[in-house]
């Protein structure tokens, strides 16, 4: 469920060409904590370099281009990104209209915090709306054996974003 919501937030943010003044993240190992429904928190780690950051944006652009009818990304000042989107997601029970709004504030290139709100029509699993919070922070160099694009999911599984795109 959180993955669907994050896809909405990330997809909305990445559905268009990224503005040239989009804040950049420092290369290395990042840890992202996300919480939403019921206060559940999930931690994902990923190894990032400039090419991987671009690859993640391209993947989001491709996915949201298929799902979203409306999106807007606005970089405000040097450290704030506001996104709004209207998307249609397919679920086992049929199509669901999803509207999202998020605001991400960057602290330099080593951390960021996102506050978001998503509404679903019809409700998904009894939830018509959800608040999402996400924080990301640079924790150091990528671990030995990690390559850019490696993501360690909350369940411990590792996958590579670039491999998913066929790069």
């Amino acid at each position: 469920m959180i993955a669907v919501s994050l896809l909405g937030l990330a997809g909305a943010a990445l559905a268009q060409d990224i503005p040239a003044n989009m804040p950049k993240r420092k290369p290395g190992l990042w840890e992202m904590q996300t919480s939403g429904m019921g206060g559940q928190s999930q931690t994902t780690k990923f190894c990032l370099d400039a090419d991987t950051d671009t690859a993640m944006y391209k993947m989001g652009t491709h996915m949201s281009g298929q799902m979203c009818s409306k999106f807007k990304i606005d970089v405000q000042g040097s450290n704030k990104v506001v996104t709004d989107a209207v998307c249609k997601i397919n679920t086992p029970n049929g199509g669901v209209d999803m509207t999202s709004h998020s605001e991400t504030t960057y602290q330099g290139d080593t951390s960021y915090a996102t506050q978001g709100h998503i509404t679903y029509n019809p409700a998904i699993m009894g939830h018509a709306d959800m608040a999402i919070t996400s924080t990301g922070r640079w924790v150091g160099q990528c671990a030995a054996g990690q390559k850019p694009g490696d993501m360690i999911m909350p369940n411990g599984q590792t996958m590579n974003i670039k491999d998913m795109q066929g790069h």
Side-chain angles (χ1 to χ4, degrees), residues 48-129:
L48 184 72
D49 66 2
D51 289 343
T52 305
D53 228 357
T54 301
M56 290 172 73
Y57 292 145
K58 286 180 181 176
M59 189 169 89
T61 298
H62 176 73
M63 284 191 286
S64 60
Q66 297 172 352
M67 299 184 339
C68 300
S69 62
K70 176 183 174 186
F71 50 80
K72 181 181 178 194
I73 182 169
D74 184 25
V75 178
Q76 300 177 348
S78 62
N79 71 334
K80 188 172 186 177
V81 178
V82 178
T83 61
D84 289 285
V86 176
C87 306
K88 184 142 193 118
I89 55 175
N90 293 317
T91 71
N93 298 323
V96 174
D97 293 321
M98 179 179 72
T99 303
S100 67
H101 172 84
S102 67
E103 297 184 9
T104 302
T105 304
Y106 291 80
Q107 299 296 320
D109 63 355
T110 58
S111 69
Y112 61 88
T114 301
Q115 300 289 322
H117 187 261
I118 301 171
T119 58
Y120 302 104
N121 183 19
I124 296 180
M125 295 169 48
H127 295 272
D129 66 327

